[in-house]
């Protein structure tokens, strides 16, 4: 670049910086609040105007994952974890050291760390002092781990639990303002999980447990009438069952993958529960269970997601039995339906839930997981069992409130066409039918380029042919929309 070009570039940068400098602190802080703290900190070297801004952020996100090298190695080794924790400790010290001199209140501190080395012995006191001084009002804590759950032995998970318990024991101030807690690979077999999570953490309103339990095939009872817990997320757990007896403010519960082979949940009194998600790819050993029995005790569920991850259904055929639990249901999502499966069985659920306004179906079309030898070796059936549900034997006396029907992963095949026509015939209030491509295909699945049922129609002619198939002889005024292509 010549001298003239350099001068133009510098002039452009100066003008750009001047425009930013004209903004007020609250606007600049709003901009910085949209990036991770590591990035926000680096902006302090831009100019004197930016020097102190990161230290005025009312929401502080100190996450060890932001201090890992880029691109991130796979798998993440102990050396990189140690380096990231060293950098995180330095950043925490920079923001929280001498909290008495800090003029800005941190409304929420998100702290994510590994329990490796001695770093928590420095981070812990920094967080404690900031909490004790009233500088930090709310704390979101994530104690993460990079070890694959399949490689986590019993002793390793106990060590993780010991480290977590040790951190809380050493710095009890953490309990005072802990509102969100995320744990990984922890086995509370020798600790009182109820006392630690609910009796001690009185402000806790969100709990996320990834591969955590109280022992293989154990039952975890949640009986916490004074708890403020609103969101509970469980992922890849060896718990036999969670008995949700009394968390009065619990609004949303999601369980992603259970390894025991029976119904994973039992409810007691959950008056506030409005959202429930159950996600699991059933192996040959998973038993079907009664969804109505699982939902017994619930009465206000508004949104229900069932995700079968392309495997057989793990719920028993039901219809009328579900009416009570589905009385308040507004949104129903049935995900992970293998592409060759009939969809008409889902009408049983719609008949039991005439109050549903939005019904979403997501098709599973991943041929990369069809290797029969691999499926048998990993515990999955070589052949997926098609749904044994018949068309509903009862018809609801109430008018369906369904106004929006969506299929993600739509294929112009007879199974899906007949299902759509059946719903359109029954749903007199239906306003729109959305037929979408799956925009998040499996990275390992080359066959997504040639899906089993054909491509989602892309051009106007193909779309008009589908619309004609769906509407001929069907008295429905619903608009049929192909959102991914912008046509209808």
């Amino acid at each position: 670049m010549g001298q003239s070009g350099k001068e133009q570039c510098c002039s452009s940068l100066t003008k750009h910086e001047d425009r930013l400098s004209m903004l007020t602190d609250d606007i600049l802080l709003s901009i910085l609040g949209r990036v991770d703290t590591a990035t926000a900190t680096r902006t302090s070297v831009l100019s004197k105007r930016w020097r102190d801004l990161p230290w005025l952020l009312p929401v502080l996100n100190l996450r060890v994952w932001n201090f890992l090298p880029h691109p991130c190695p796979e798998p993440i080794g102990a050396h990189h974890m140690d380096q990231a924790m060293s950098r995180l400790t330095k950043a925490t010290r920079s923001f929280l050291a001498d909290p008495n001199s800090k003029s800005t209140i941190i409304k929420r501190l998100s702290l994510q760390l590994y329990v490796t080395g001695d770093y928590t012995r420095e981070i812990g006191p920094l967080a404690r002092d900031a909490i004790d001084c009233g500088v930090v009002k709310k704390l979101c804590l994530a104690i993460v781990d990079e070890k694959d759950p399949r490689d986590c032995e019993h002793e390793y998970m106990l060590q993780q639990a010991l480290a977590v318990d040790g951190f809380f024991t050493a710095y009890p101030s953490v309990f005072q303002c802990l509102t969100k807690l995320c744990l990984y690979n922890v086995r509370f077999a020798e600790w009182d999980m109820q006392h630690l999570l609910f009796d001690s953490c009185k402000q806790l309103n969100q709990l996320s447990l990834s591969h955590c339990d109280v022992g293989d095939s154990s039952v975890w009872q949640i009986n916490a009438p004074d708890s403020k817990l609103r969101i509970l997320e469980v992922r890849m757990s060896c718990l036999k069952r969670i008995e949700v007896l009394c968390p009065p403010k619990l609004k949303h519960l999601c369980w992603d993958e259970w390894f025991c082979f029976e119904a994973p949940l039992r409810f007691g009194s959950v008056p506030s529960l409005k959202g429930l998600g159950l996600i699991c790819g059933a192996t040959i050993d998973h038993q079907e269970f009664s969804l109505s029995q699982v939902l017994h005790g619930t009465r206000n569920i508004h949104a229900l997601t069932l995700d079968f991850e392309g495997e057989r259904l793990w719920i028993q055929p039901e219809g009328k039995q579900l009416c009570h639990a589905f009385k308040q249901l507004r949104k129903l999502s049935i995900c992970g339906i293998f592409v060759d499966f009939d969809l008409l069985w889902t009408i049983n659920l719609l008949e039991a839930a005439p109050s549903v306004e939005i019904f979403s179906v997501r098709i599973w079309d991943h041929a990369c997981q069809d290797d029969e030898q691999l499926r048998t070796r990993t515990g999955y059936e070589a052949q997926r069992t098609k749904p044994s549900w018949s068309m509903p034997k009862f018809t609801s006396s109430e008018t369906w409130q369904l106004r929006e029907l969506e299929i993600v992963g739509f294929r112009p095949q007879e199974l899906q066409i007949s299902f759509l026509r059946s719903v359109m015939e029954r749903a007199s209030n239906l306003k729109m039918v959305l037929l979408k491509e799956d925009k998040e295909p499996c990275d390992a699945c080359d066959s997504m380029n040639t899906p089993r049922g054909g491509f989602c129609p892309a051009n106007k002619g193909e779309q008009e042919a589908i619309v004609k198939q769906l509407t001929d002889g069907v008295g429905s005024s619903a608009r049929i929309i192909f959102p991914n292509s912008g046509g209808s």
Side-chain angles (χ1 to χ4, degrees), residues 161-197:
L162 181 62
V164 170
D165 183 70
F167 183 81
F168 286 135
T169 301
Y171 313 109
S173 296
V174 168
F175 290 128
Q176 297 176 15
C177 61
L178 186 62
T179 59
K180 180 179 178 180
L181 178 63
C182 303
L183 299 175
Y184 292 69
N185 297 334
V186 174
R187 175 159 291 175
F188 290 100
E190 299 175 9
W191 290 267
D192 187 342
M193 196 172 179
Q194 171 83 19
H195 175 73
L196 176 65
L197 297 179

Side-chain angles (χ1 to χ4, degrees), residues 140-290:
C140 301
L141 177 64
I143 299 178
V144 296
D145 185 40
E146 298 299 340
K147 194 163 187 177
D148 191 305
R150 292 168 293 186
D151 299 328
C152 292
E153 301 292 339
H154 173 75
E155 290 300 325
Y156 178 82
M157 295 178 69
L158 289 180
Q159 290 175 6
Q160 286 292 105
L162 181 62
V164 170
D165 183 70
F167 183 81
F168 286 135
T169 301
Y171 313 109
S173 296
V174 168
F175 290 128
Q176 297 176 15
C177 61
L178 186 62
T179 59
K180 180 179 178 180
L181 178 63
C182 303
L183 299 175
Y184 292 69
N185 297 334
V186 174
R187 175 159 291 175
F188 290 100
E190 299 175 9
W191 290 267
D192 187 342
M193 196 172 179
Q194 171 83 19
H195 175 73
L196 176 65
L197 297 179
F198 301 115
D199 297 340
S200 299
C201 304
K202 296 186 182 299
Q203 304 303 316
L204 190 67
N205 59 52
Q206 185 169 349
L207 177 62
S208 178
L209 302 174
S210 183
H211 195 230
C212 297
D213 55 53
V214 290
D216 281 337
S217 301
S218 52
V219 176
W220 178 29
Q221 292 187 335
I222 302 177
N223 188 12
D226 298 323
S227 169
K228 295 183 179 180
L229 188 68
R230 295 166 61 88
I231 299 173
L232 174 61
E233 298 168 328
V234 180
R235 181 175 178 271
M236 299 183 69
S237 179
C238 290
L239 287 165
K240 178 180 181 180
R241 185 172 62 253
I242 300 178
E243 296 183 357
V244 191
L245 303 179
C246 185
K249 296 186 178 181
L250 184 66
K251 294 188 68 174
H252 179 80
L253 190 157
C254 180
W255 190 331
D256 186 348
E257 297 291 342
W258 52 89
F259 296 144
C260 287
F261 306 123
E262 57 186 66
L265 286 171
R266 182 178 298 170
F267 290 104
S269 176
V270 284
S272 301
L273 187 65
K274 287 183 167 55
L276 176 63
L278 295 174
I279 305 166
C280 189
T283 68
I284 194 171
D285 295 313
H286 278 84
Q287 302 173 12
E288 292 181 0
F289 58 81
S290 165

